[in-house]
């Protein structure tokens, strides 16, 4: 029986519902009292503590700005002039009788072979 109950997972109990109802009644009562006194209940931080300021949210990323490496204009859409439309070049690093080649992506066109 216990294994079956564990397989069902977490079950909410009646305290969650009753707590929400209690808070809802308190909020409604406070709103009625404030309205009867000709005021409005304070809801935001600025209303609750005037003159206090929250610390700004810390963003852990830098803002991204995209700038083209080559000016867009009449050459845009044509083959890249740096790699002649290949998207990069093969670099020969042979030495001591060993032949080595590797592909290096073209920086101006970003490896697409098309001018920007």
């Amino acid at each position: 029986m216990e294994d079956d109950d564990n397989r069902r997972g977490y079950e909410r109990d009646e305290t969650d519902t009753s707590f929400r109802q209690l808070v809802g009644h308190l909020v409604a009562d406070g709103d009625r009292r404030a309205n009867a006194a000709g005021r409005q209940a304070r809801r935001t931080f600025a209303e609750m503590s005037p003159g206090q300021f929250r610390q700004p949210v810390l963003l852990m990323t830098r803002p991204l700005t995209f700038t083209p490496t080559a000016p867009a204009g009449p050459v845009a859409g044509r083959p890249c002039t740096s790699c002649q439309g290949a998207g990069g070049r093969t670099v020969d690093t042979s030495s001591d009788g060993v032949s080595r080649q590797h592909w290096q992506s073209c920086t101006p066109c970003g490896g697409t072979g098309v001018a920007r």
Side-chain angles (χ1 to χ4, degrees), residues 22 26-28 33 39 44-45 51-52 67 72 74 76 79 81 86 99 111 115:
L22 173 67
L26 290 173
V27 168
R33 289 174 184 245
R39 295 183 288 169
T44 65
F45 180 75
Q52 295 288 325
T67 55
T81 55
S99 178

Side-chain angles (χ1 to χ4, degrees), residues 47-107:
E47 291 173 346
M48 290 181 204
S49 56
Q52 295 288 325
F53 297 100
R54 286 187 178 183
Q55 186 174 359
V57 176
L58 176 64
L59 299 175
M60 300 298 288
T61 59
R62 293 178 289 148
L64 298 176
T65 56
F66 296 99
T67 55
T69 54
V75 293
R78 293 189 182 155
C80 178
T81 55
S82 297
C83 65
Q84 287 72 39
R89 61 189 168 99
T90 304
V91 179
D92 186 9
T93 56
S94 300
S95 64
D96 298 328
V98 178
S99 178
R100 294 184 202 104
Q101 292 183 347
H102 69 274
W103 181 259
Q104 191 171 26
S105 193
C106 179
T107 305

